[in-house]
Amino acid sequence: MSFDTPLGLRADSLQFLDAEPADGQRWSTWPATTPTERGPAPHPAWLETSAGAFDTELGIVKTGKEADVFLLERAVPGTDGCILAAKRYRGGDHSDFHRSHRYEEGRRYRNSRDARAVAGKSSYGRLVAAAHWATNEFAALCAAWEAGIPVPYPVQVSGTELLMEFIGDGRTAAPRLAQARLDRDGYADAFRQVTEILQAFARSGHAHSDLSAYNLLFHDGRVVVIDLPQIVDLAANPNGLDFLHRDVLNVCTWFERRGVGTDPEALFAHLVAQLW
């Protein structure tokens, strides 16, 4: 039987208090986050939240222009923990947010100093932009999760690092839809799921704005959408409907090439109708 101690540690983890992180490890960052930096409650049963847990680096999953995704194990020593995806946005001179201005319309920074720094592309400004995009993606994932949209569960955000559910089997990541090998019926079902994702975003007043077969995962017959930092508010962003139309054309063109009949203009009109 386990119980919570006044320090927030599970009794079954007290025996590990003398342990120290080894190379490639750190103490779990969960206790240092605030409730607003944690994913929606109730937290999934698989999520390790003990203050006695270590975060262990397991390698890199994907590199990108603005961020890299790493594999992380969070576990109390000697126990089974959970595997997480750690998305780390780049700051300094190693990031590339050159496309951000069109997505950022309708968004605000915390203060005018941060906004000026980002606009001036200073080193501080790039760090602010990295943290800003991590926070944006975390908020988008939380909203999508609560709306029932199939996204990885957002575990927490801390500075420029976003931790989320790892979609895959064991330590093997699920393939992107572009890499999946499906038959005609499989592609047709995947298209049905993607249209439902588009519709759910539209009903919430948003567009993914960069949707394609490369940021959709396919796992156990289920399509999961990822990469949400550039999600746009269709009311606040003057380019919102253009982004939505591009999303529709991207996915319809891809599925057409795989033998699935689509009508992108009819789908776009249907999505726009969901906004009002």
Side-chain angles (χ1 to χ4, degrees), residues 67-91:
D68 298 322
V69 180
F70 296 82
L71 199 61
L72 198 74
E73 180 186 52
R74 175 167 288 176
V76 173
T79 69
D80 294 329
C82 59
I83 302 295
L84 303 175
K87 187 171 185 177
R88 294 165 184 163
Y89 281 88
R90 298 197 191 98

Side-chain angles (χ1 to χ4, degrees), residues 170-254:
R171 299 183 181 184
T172 302
R176 295 173 186 275
L177 184 57
Q179 301 164 332
R181 297 293 181 263
L182 308 177
D183 57 22
R184 183 180 293 268
D185 289 341
Y187 283 122
D189 184 65
F191 180 65
R192 176 191 59 79
Q193 294 185 55
V194 173
T195 58
E196 290 177 352
I197 289 171
L198 284 165
Q199 181 169 274
F201 275 123
R203 284 178 174 171
S204 72
H206 295 86
H208 184 283
S209 81
D210 196 27
L211 195 64
S212 76
Y214 292 92
N215 45 36
L216 293 166
L217 302 181
F218 191 79
H219 185 242
D220 291 339
R222 179 169 174 256
V223 177
V224 179
V225 61
I226 59 171
D227 294 339
L228 273 68
Q230 72 295 312
I231 192 170
V232 298
D233 185 314
L234 292 172
N237 192 305
N239 301 303
L241 291 181
D242 290 336
F243 284 129
L244 178 60
H245 190 254
R246 186 177 70 180
D247 283 350
V248 171
L249 287 179
N250 282 345
V251 297
C252 285
T253 299
W254 190 85

Side-chain angles (χ1 to χ4, degrees), residues 105-216:
E105 292 189 65
R107 297 179 184 173
R108 294 183 178 180
Y109 285 88
R110 292 179 304 172
N111 54 58
S112 58
R113 175 175 178 260
D114 285 353
R116 289 195 302 271
V118 172
K121 299 181 180 180
S122 65
S123 294
Y124 171 73
R126 287 180 177 270
L127 288 172
V128 169
H132 181 65
W133 278 57
T135 301
N136 284 344
E137 181 162 22
F138 177 72
L141 285 169
C142 288
W145 178 269
E146 292 182 315
I149 299 173
V151 296
Y153 176 76
V155 173
Q156 67 181 74
V157 65
S158 180
T160 60
E161 181 183 73
L162 168 61
L163 296 184
M164 68 193 94
E165 175 186 5
F166 176 70
I167 306 297
D169 297 309
R171 299 183 181 184
T172 302
R176 295 173 186 275
L177 184 57
Q179 301 164 332
R181 297 293 181 263
L182 308 177
D183 57 22
R184 183 180 293 268
D185 289 341
Y187 283 122
D189 184 65
F191 180 65
R192 176 191 59 79
Q193 294 185 55
V194 173
T195 58
E196 290 177 352
I197 289 171
L198 284 165
Q199 181 169 274
F201 275 123
R203 284 178 174 171
S204 72
H206 295 86
H208 184 283
S209 81
D210 196 27
L211 195 64
S212 76
Y214 292 92
N215 45 36
L216 293 166

